[in-house]
mmCIF file with all atom_site columns, all heavy atoms in Angstrom:
data_model
loop_
_atom_site.group_PDB
_atom_site.id
_atom_site.type_symbol
_atom_site.label_atom_id
_atom_site.label_alt_id
_atom_site.label_comp_id
_atom_site.label_asym_id
_atom_site.label_entity_id
_atom_site.label_seq_id
_atom_site.pdbx_PDB_ins_code
_atom_site.Cartn_x
_atom_site.Cartn_y
_atom_site.Cartn_z
_atom_site.occupancy
_atom_site.B_iso_or_equiv
_atom_site.pdbx_formal_charge
_atom_site.auth_seq_id
_atom_site.auth_comp_id
_atom_site.auth_asym_id
_atom_site.auth_atom_id
_atom_site.pdbx_PDB_model_num
ATOM 1  N N   . GLU J 1 94  ? -18.441 -24.395 -3.966 1.00 0.00 ? 94  GLU J N   1
ATOM 2  C CA  . GLU J 1 94  ? -19.075 -23.937 -2.707 1.00 0.00 ? 94  GLU J CA  1
ATOM 3  C C   . GLU J 1 94  ? -19.137 -22.447 -2.586 1.00 0.00 ? 94  GLU J C   1
ATOM 4  O O   . GLU J 1 94  ? -20.033 -21.743 -2.081 1.00 0.00 ? 94  GLU J O   1
ATOM 5  C CB  . GLU J 1 94  ? -18.316 -24.587 -1.543 1.00 0.00 ? 94  GLU J CB  1
ATOM 6  C CG  . GLU J 1 94  ? -18.850 -25.866 -1.146 1.00 0.00 ? 94  GLU J CG  1
ATOM 7  C CD  . GLU J 1 94  ? -20.131 -25.754 -0.273 1.00 0.00 ? 94  GLU J CD  1
ATOM 8  O OE1 . GLU J 1 94  ? -20.050 -25.579 0.938  1.00 0.00 ? 94  GLU J OE1 1
ATOM 9  O OE2 . GLU J 1 94  ? -21.225 -25.821 -0.800 1.00 0.00 ? 94  GLU J OE2 1
ATOM 10 N N   . GLU J 1 95  ? -17.847 -21.835 -2.996 1.00 0.00 ? 95  GLU J N   1
ATOM 11 C CA  . GLU J 1 95  ? -17.766 -20.353 -3.004 1.00 0.00 ? 95  GLU J CA  1
ATOM 12 C C   . GLU J 1 95  ? -18.718 -19.772 -3.890 1.00 0.00 ? 95  GLU J C   1
ATOM 13 O O   . GLU J 1 95  ? -19.422 -18.655 -3.527 1.00 0.00 ? 95  GLU J O   1
ATOM 14 C CB  . GLU J 1 95  ? -16.336 -19.922 -3.268 1.00 0.00 ? 95  GLU J CB  1
ATOM 15 C CG  . GLU J 1 95  ? -15.365 -20.282 -2.203 1.00 0.00 ? 95  GLU J CG  1
ATOM 16 C CD  . GLU J 1 95  ? -15.696 -19.631 -0.926 1.00 0.00 ? 95  GLU J CD  1
ATOM 17 O OE1 . GLU J 1 95  ? -15.743 -18.472 -0.888 1.00 0.00 ? 95  GLU J OE1 1
ATOM 18 O OE2 . GLU J 1 95  ? -15.881 -20.387 0.080  1.00 0.00 ? 95  GLU J OE2 1
ATOM 19 N N   . ILE J 1 96  ? -19.025 -20.272 -5.053 1.00 0.00 ? 96  ILE J N   1
ATOM 20 C CA  . ILE J 1 96  ? -19.928 -19.720 -5.980 1.00 0.00 ? 96  ILE J CA  1
ATOM 21 C C   . ILE J 1 96  ? -21.300 -19.779 -5.377 1.00 0.00 ? 96  ILE J C   1
ATOM 22 O O   . ILE J 1 96  ? -22.141 -18.880 -5.477 1.00 0.00 ? 96  ILE J O   1
ATOM 23 C CB  . ILE J 1 96  ? -19.832 -20.427 -7.316 1.00 0.00 ? 96  ILE J CB  1
ATOM 24 C CG1 . ILE J 1 96  ? -18.484 -20.209 -8.011 1.00 0.00 ? 96  ILE J CG1 1
ATOM 25 C CG2 . ILE J 1 96  ? -20.935 -20.078 -8.277 1.00 0.00 ? 96  ILE J CG2 1
ATOM 26 C CD1 . ILE J 1 96  ? -18.243 -21.056 -9.247 1.00 0.00 ? 96  ILE J CD1 1
ATOM 27 N N   . ASN J 1 97  ? -21.723 -20.955 -4.774 1.00 0.00 ? 97  ASN J N   1
ATOM 28 C CA  . ASN J 1 97  ? -23.011 -21.067 -4.169 1.00 0.00 ? 97  ASN J CA  1
ATOM 29 C C   . ASN J 1 97  ? -23.168 -20.133 -3.051 1.00 0.00 ? 97  ASN J C   1
ATOM 30 O O   . ASN J 1 97  ? -24.322 -19.587 -2.766 1.00 0.00 ? 97  ASN J O   1
ATOM 31 C CB  . ASN J 1 97  ? -23.161 -22.549 -3.678 1.00 0.00 ? 97  ASN J CB  1
ATOM 32 C CG  . ASN J 1 97  ? -23.235 -23.534 -4.901 1.00 0.00 ? 97  ASN J CG  1
ATOM 33 O OD1 . ASN J 1 97  ? -23.487 -23.186 -5.974 1.00 0.00 ? 97  ASN J OD1 1
ATOM 34 N ND2 . ASN J 1 97  ? -23.012 -24.831 -4.501 1.00 0.00 ? 97  ASN J ND2 1
ATOM 35 N N   . LEU J 1 98  ? -22.022 -19.905 -2.257 1.00 0.00 ? 98  LEU J N   1
ATOM 36 C CA  . LEU J 1 98  ? -22.182 -18.963 -1.174 1.00 0.00 ? 98  LEU J CA  1
ATOM 37 C C   . LEU J 1 98  ? -22.480 -17.506 -1.604 1.00 0.00 ? 98  LEU J C   1
ATOM 38 O O   . LEU J 1 98  ? -23.411 -16.880 -1.100 1.00 0.00 ? 98  LEU J O   1
ATOM 39 C CB  . LEU J 1 98  ? -20.900 -18.860 -0.374 1.00 0.00 ? 98  LEU J CB  1
ATOM 40 C CG  . LEU J 1 98  ? -20.672 -17.698 0.553  1.00 0.00 ? 98  LEU J CG  1
ATOM 41 C CD1 . LEU J 1 98  ? -21.638 -17.758 1.715  1.00 0.00 ? 98  LEU J CD1 1
ATOM 42 C CD2 . LEU J 1 98  ? -19.201 -17.774 1.111  1.00 0.00 ? 98  LEU J CD2 1
ATOM 43 N N   . ILE J 1 99  ? -21.786 -17.172 -2.687 1.00 0.00 ? 99  ILE J N   1
ATOM 44 C CA  . ILE J 1 99  ? -22.018 -15.737 -3.315 1.00 0.00 ? 99  ILE J CA  1
ATOM 45 C C   . ILE J 1 99  ? -23.481 -15.650 -3.637 1.00 0.00 ? 99  ILE J C   1
ATOM 46 O O   . ILE J 1 99  ? -24.135 -14.644 -3.442 1.00 0.00 ? 99  ILE J O   1
ATOM 47 C CB  . ILE J 1 99  ? -21.004 -15.532 -4.414 1.00 0.00 ? 99  ILE J CB  1
ATOM 48 C CG1 . ILE J 1 99  ? -19.634 -15.431 -3.992 1.00 0.00 ? 99  ILE J CG1 1
ATOM 49 C CG2 . ILE J 1 99  ? -21.431 -14.200 -5.159 1.00 0.00 ? 99  ILE J CG2 1
ATOM 50 C CD1 . ILE J 1 99  ? -18.579 -15.399 -5.085 1.00 0.00 ? 99  ILE J CD1 1
ATOM 51 N N   . GLU J 1 100 ? -23.934 -16.730 -4.376 1.00 0.00 ? 100 GLU J N   1
ATOM 52 C CA  . GLU J 1 100 ? -25.397 -16.676 -4.857 1.00 0.00 ? 100 GLU J CA  1
ATOM 53 C C   . GLU J 1 100 ? -26.347 -16.455 -3.710 1.00 0.00 ? 100 GLU J C   1
ATOM 54 O O   . GLU J 1 100 ? -27.253 -15.542 -3.857 1.00 0.00 ? 100 GLU J O   1
ATOM 55 C CB  . GLU J 1 100 ? -25.743 -18.032 -5.564 1.00 0.00 ? 100 GLU J CB  1
ATOM 56 C CG  . GLU J 1 100 ? -25.071 -18.042 -6.989 1.00 0.00 ? 100 GLU J CG  1
ATOM 57 C CD  . GLU J 1 100 ? -25.647 -19.229 -7.707 1.00 0.00 ? 100 GLU J CD  1
ATOM 58 O OE1 . GLU J 1 100 ? -25.863 -20.364 -7.108 1.00 0.00 ? 100 GLU J OE1 1
ATOM 59 O OE2 . GLU J 1 100 ? -25.882 -19.145 -8.897 1.00 0.00 ? 100 GLU J OE2 1
#
Side-chain angles (χ1 to χ4, degrees):
E94 271 282 276
E95 288 304 298
I96 294 172
N97 292 342
L98 165 64
I99 293 172
E100 284 189 321

